[in-house]
Amino acid sequence: MWSGILQAQHEQHQSQDTTSKTVAKSPRKVAMSMVGENHVHIDYGSPSVRGRKIWNGLVAYDQVWATGAHHATAIEFSHDVTIKGQKIPMGKYGLFTIPNKKSWIIILNKSWAMHLADEYKVEHDILRIVVKPKSKKQLVEALTYEVVPLSPTKGTIRILWEHVMIAFDFENN
């Protein structure tokens, strides 16, 4: 029963028209997918490169970043997951990162309703993992999140912007 309801909610999100006559420079976007019966939903602000220096420019190295524009990025799992051996209960979390040229820290935080990382508190972190950024030859103009099902029980989250991609895997419990 729940999987049918979640599938209907997923389809409703996909069918919503998010176009408007005025194009924001950093529009709100959604990335989502069903991974088995788990609806994974990411809501984020998507800034564009627009000729700017992004890494260690617009986005400072070694500082907590909301990994999007305007409001903190929110990630929601409809079922419990495991990330790098750590169990994460179903729910909605702030997704923050600490970028660096050689490695990034990915953070899931209990708080997600905030402007950028203004109210971020390390004591609300439920997950911190280190990932290696990968260089991409092709420019990704607008910050893009992807939720990619790998199997009925496993998926990956990708974050792409400019010439950088980071990713982390999760498994449904």
Side-chain angles (χ1 to χ4, degrees), residues 1-156:
M1 176 174 142
W2 279 109
S3 65
I5 292 170
L6 292 172
Q7 183 67 35
Q9 288 174 342
H10 177 74
E11 289 167 3
Q12 179 184 9
H13 286 303
Q14 286 182 318
S15 68
Q16 291 175 350
D17 182 7
T18 58
T19 60
S20 79
K21 293 179 183 181
T22 307
V23 178
K25 289 185 177 180
S26 299
R28 294 305 292 174
K29 295 211 175 172
V30 172
M32 66 184 148
S33 189
M34 294 296 295
V35 178
E37 293 186 6
N38 192 356
H39 179 245
V40 181
H41 186 108
I42 303 171
D43 183 319
Y44 64 102
S46 177
S48 295
V49 174
R50 297 192 311 268
R52 301 176 290 182
K53 179 181 179 187
I54 301 303
W55 308 117
N56 211 28
L58 183 64
V59 177
Y61 280 156
D62 303 316
Q63 292 183 22
V64 174
W65 176 40
T67 322
H70 305 303
H71 300 284
T73 295
I75 185 168
E76 187 169 10
F77 301 101
S78 67
H79 287 63
D80 297 351
V81 297
T82 299
I83 301 171
K84 294 267 185 171
Q86 291 186 253
K87 292 189 186 273
I88 308 297
M90 65 183 255
K92 192 171 192 177
Y93 302 97
L95 192 158
F96 299 91
T97 55
I98 301 174
N100 189 291
K101 189 171 185 148
K102 294 183 180 182
S103 65
W104 285 42
I105 299 171
I106 297 187
I107 302 165
L108 293 186
N109 188 279
K110 292 177 188 175
S111 300
W112 55 269
M114 69 182 79
H115 178 261
L116 297 173
D118 294 349
E119 299 169 38
Y120 169 82
K121 293 185 173 133
V122 69
E123 59 267 20
H124 293 160
D125 290 353
I126 64 160
L127 174 79
R128 276 185 172 231
I129 59 171
V130 176
V131 298
K132 299 283 183 201
K134 294 181 180 172
S135 293
K136 306 282 288 173
K137 287 184 180 182
Q138 185 173 356
L139 174 72
V140 178
E141 177 65 27
L143 175 66
T144 302
Y145 280 79
E146 298 174 344
V147 180
V148 182
L150 303 175
S151 76
T153 59
K154 294 181 182 178
T156 192

